[in-house]
Amino acid sequence: MVVARKSSQVITHMAIGFVIAYAFTGSIALGGLAVLVEPVLNVLLLPFHERAWARKAQGVTGHRRTLVRSVEKISQTGMHMVVAFLVMFFATGSLAFGGMAAVLEPVCNVLLMPLHDKLWDNVQAA
């Protein structure tokens, strides 16, 4: 069940990226490109991001550790936004489309993924 849930999360995340790219460009090819390139870039960059923040959090305790973890998550969101912007900008040449993708993709994920997880919680509880 864990593999099915994770696979569903990946598919949902990719579908959000595709829908946004397709809505802006009207191109299935560019939507598909965005779906493939954006996650690959994030997967490649995330270990470097996590390593850098792990060094920052090393030896930090208490409330300060919570603050460092919170800033890390904000930084990770920013990284995802930059990647979404760059993928859409290079695909379309449009700053406006890049900016909209950078804002909409994380917002849609923040709004839709909890609904996805709640659905899976209900399926697992049944």
Side-chain angles (χ1 to χ4, degrees), residues 83-98:
V83 169
F85 170 81
L86 291 173
V87 168
M88 186 60 80
F89 173 73
F90 283 114
T92 65
S94 170
L95 290 171
F97 285 171

Side-chain angles (χ1 to χ4, degrees), residues 2-101:
V2 172
V3 172
R5 183 178 183 146
K6 286 295 178 188
S7 297
S8 178
Q9 286 174 331
V10 169
I11 290 167
T12 301
H13 184 85
M14 292 173 78
I16 290 167
F18 175 81
V19 168
I20 290 169
Y22 179 76
F24 286 128
T25 65
S27 169
I28 291 174
L30 287 177
L33 175 71
V35 162
L36 295 176
V37 173
E38 191 261 346
V40 168
L41 289 174
N42 281 321
V43 166
L44 291 174
L45 293 173
L46 194 57
F48 297 105
H49 183 273
E50 288 176 343
R51 220 173 295 133
W53 279 96
R55 273 181 285 193
K56 250 191 183 335
Q58 197 170 14
V60 178
T61 59
H63 292 296
R64 188 153 166 75
R65 185 170 182 81
T66 302
L67 178 63
V68 168
R69 293 286 185 200
S70 299
V71 173
E72 175 190 3
K73 293 305 176 189
I74 293 167
S75 173
Q76 186 177 358
T77 301
M79 182 189 76
H80 282 280
M81 292 175 80
V82 168
V83 169
F85 170 81
L86 291 173
V87 168
M88 186 60 80
F89 173 73
F90 283 114
T92 65
S94 170
L95 290 171
F97 285 171
M100 289 301 289

